Structures are given as C-alpha cells and as structure tokens.
C-alpha cells in the first residue's frame, strides 16, 4: 500500500503520539485524524519516533513482531503481522514490581523470546538461517500498550504506535533450540493465580521461527539488519489479557520454565 500522507501530516502524527507518551493522555485513532493513513505512512510515523528516541539516547535492544496469532488478530480486528522496536529501557526484571501507572492501558501476552547469537540480514533469510542465528530461547511476557484511546486501532494505527509496544519481562532460564519443538511448546497463563489463557507455539504463524523469518526479511528490505545480541519477540501464543496495578501474571512454558510480571499497587509505592 503506497503512501498517501505528506511529510507534514506524518510529522504531525508522530508528534501526537510522542505527546501522548509525555502527557499520558491517549489520542484519537490516527486513522480518524488522517483518514488516508496507509501502512507505509504508519511505518514512517513509527520511524520518526524511533529517530527521536535514539537521538535522545535510548538504545534499541531488539524488535517485536505483533499480530501473528489468529486470536490477537480477531481481538484487535486486523489481518496481518506488524513489527516494532524494543528499547533497553522497556525491559523489566522477572518477578520484580513494575511501577503502577507506567502504562496507559496495558495488556499482557506470553511469547517465546529469541536472543540472536548471529546477525540476520534479509531479504532472503530462510528458516535454516533463522535457526542458525538464534543463541537461545527464553520465556517472555510482553506488555502491550496503546497511545490510541480505548484500543480503537486499525493496522496503520498500531504500526504508527510502535506496534503497541509497552514493556518486556524476560525469564532467566536460557534454553538452546536443540531438542525444542517450538510448534508444540505449550503455555499456561495465570493472573493472580487463576488460569486465564492457554496456548502453544503453533499459534504464531505456525511456528515462532516463521515470525522471525518474516521480520528479518521485512526489515531487511528496508536496509535494517537484526544484530547479534538483539532480542526478538516473535508474537503471542494467546490472546492478550488486561492487567491492572496489583496484578501478578505468570506464564509457565513447557521446556522453557516460567516468567512473572508483577504490577505494583499504588499503595506499595508510598
């Protein structure tokens, strides 16, 4: 889909999202403000924000692939994957309290995270290339968030909003891929001790590896290389779950162990 907005309109959309981060007040859907917003426009809006953040000293630590499962696509009303950037300051420690009010409208989803031991340069990356590049897999929880009010997003809206990125909690048990069947790796997601979702790796484009291949080839066509040491979140194994201050969410993966996100209640910060 070709661009429809002019540079000034793209810059305006980027400023609106950056203001939402600063003011903590979400904005109307960008597709309502700029009805012609296309996927190409939206990635330009995302990259304008990324350029500003990196110029301010934030460090890119990896990428995420979003909207890879049928459950998430149904939940958000979209029909194709997208990608966003992960920054080093978006990572939180396993089981350690996350400050209440850090996010605007957080939801959480379990993912099989990858840490790359070798760079991946697309286009032309194959499954074999992707497998060879992964140093290890790790249990992960992604906190998605939206600067768009009430999650009323289309595909261009979420792309422009850095693929609705919020935060990441990585588990502490690295597991080599040898012997792992990522398609059948199951997960049980609990919120405050109660099971709220179950799923398996096949929910992510048939296999999380397929999402990594898609990412490497998609960003490679734009001249971006996935660097060694970077973290890739290939997509959620279940639908996203709403979270609030005071919640504790644990994802338990077969063969990968568990990871916990703890959201501090406001009273814990007094």
């Amino acid at each position: 889909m070709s661009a429809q907005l002019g540079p000034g309109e793209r810059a305006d959309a980027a400023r609106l999202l950056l203001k939402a981060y600063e003011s903590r007040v979400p904005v109307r859907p960008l597709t309502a403000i700029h009805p012609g917003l296309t996927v190409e426009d939206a990635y330009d809006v995302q990259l304008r924000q990324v350029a500003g953040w990196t110029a301010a000293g934030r460090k890119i630590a990896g990428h995420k692939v979003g909207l890879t499962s049928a459950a998430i696509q149904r939940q958000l009303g979209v029909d194709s994957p997208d990608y966003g950037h992960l920054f080093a300051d978006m990572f939180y420690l396993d089981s350690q309290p996350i400050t209440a009010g850090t996010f605007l409208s957080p939801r959480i989803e379990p993912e099989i995270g990858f840490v790359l031991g070798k760079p991946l340069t697309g286009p032309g990356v194959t499954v074999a290339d992707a497998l060879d590049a992964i140093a290890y897999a790790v249990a992960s929880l992604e906190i998605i968030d939206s600067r768009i009010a009430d999650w009323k997003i289309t595909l261009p809206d979420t792309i422009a909003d850095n693929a609705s990125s919020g935060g990441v909690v990585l588990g502490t048990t690295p597991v080599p891929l040898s012997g792992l069947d990522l398609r059948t790796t199951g997960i049980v997601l609990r919120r405050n001790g109660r099971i709220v979702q179950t799923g398996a790796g096949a929910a992510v484009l048939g296999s999380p590896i397929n999402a990594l291949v898609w990412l490497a080839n998609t960003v490679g066509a734009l001249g971006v290389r996935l660097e060694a040491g970077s973290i890739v979140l290939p997509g959620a194994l279940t639908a996203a779950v709403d979270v609030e201050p005071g919640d504790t969410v644990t994802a338990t993966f077969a063969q990968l162990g568990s990871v916990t996100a703890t959201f501090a209640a406001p009273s814990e910060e007094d």
Side-chain angles (χ1 to χ4, degrees):
M1 184 180 293
S2 61
Q4 295 293 321
L5 302 187
E9 292 171 306
R10 295 181 186 185
D12 176 67
R15 282 193 295 268
L16 284 173
L17 291 172
L18 289 170
K19 183 178 178 181
Y21 278 100
E22 295 170 2
S23 68
R24 306 197 53 72
V25 177
V27 300
R28 289 195 299 143
L30 296 182
T31 47
I33 300 170
H34 298 289
L37 185 74
T38 67
V39 166
E40 183 176 328
D41 290 321
Y43 277 119
D44 181 86
V45 172
Q46 180 186 136
L47 291 174
R48 287 172 185 267
Q49 295 168 84
V50 170
W53 289 324
T54 55
R58 294 183 75 188
K59 179 184 176 183
I60 296 174
H63 290 78
K64 62 158 286 184
V65 184
L67 313 178
T68 53
S69 75
I72 290 291
Q73 290 181 2
R74 286 195 301 269
Q75 189 174 30
L76 297 185
V78 299
D79 58 6
S80 65
D82 67 350
Y83 73 86
H85 293 70
L86 301 176
F87 288 85
D89 57 9
M90 293 170 61
F91 287 77
Y92 298 88
L93 296 178
D94 187 10
S95 301
Q96 297 302 301
I98 298 169
T99 302
T102 298
F103 306 104
L104 294 180
S105 184
R107 296 173 175 176
I108 201 163
E109 50 193 32
E111 308 204 15
I112 299 172
F114 297 135
V115 177
L116 301 186
K118 299 178 182 179
L120 277 175
T121 306
V125 168
T126 67
V127 167
D129 295 328
L131 289 169
D132 184 58
I134 296 170
Y136 56 86
V138 63
S140 307
L141 286 168
E142 183 185 4
I143 304 161
I144 58 174
D145 198 14
S146 184
R147 275 56 61 177
I148 307 297
D150 302 319
W151 282 97
K152 293 182 178 179
I153 58 174
T154 64
L155 181 59
D157 287 303
T158 184
I159 289 171
D161 190 22
N162 196 25
S164 302
S165 297
V168 183
V169 183
L170 296 180
T172 56
T173 304
V175 180
L177 291 192
S178 177
L180 283 180
D181 183 349
L182 295 176
R183 287 175 51 85
T184 60
T185 297
I187 180 267
V188 176
L189 188 68
R190 292 179 172 86
R191 182 179 59 200
N192 302 326
R194 181 179 179 181
I195 295 175
V196 289
Q197 292 284 350
T198 60
V204 183
L205 295 182
S207 168
I209 296 295
N210 294 338
L212 176 57
V213 171
W214 178 87
L215 174 66
N217 288 327
T218 299
V219 300
L222 303 173
V224 176
R225 182 170 82 161
L226 302 182
E227 301 292 348
S230 64
I231 299 152
V232 174
L233 297 183
L237 278 64
T238 71
V241 173
D242 292 338
V243 289
E244 299 178 352
D247 283 347
T248 295
V249 180
T250 297
T252 302
F253 295 78
Q255 300 178 280
L256 289 175
S258 64
V259 59
T260 297
T262 301
F263 296 86
S267 60
E268 295 178 54
E269 299 167 12
D270 295 339

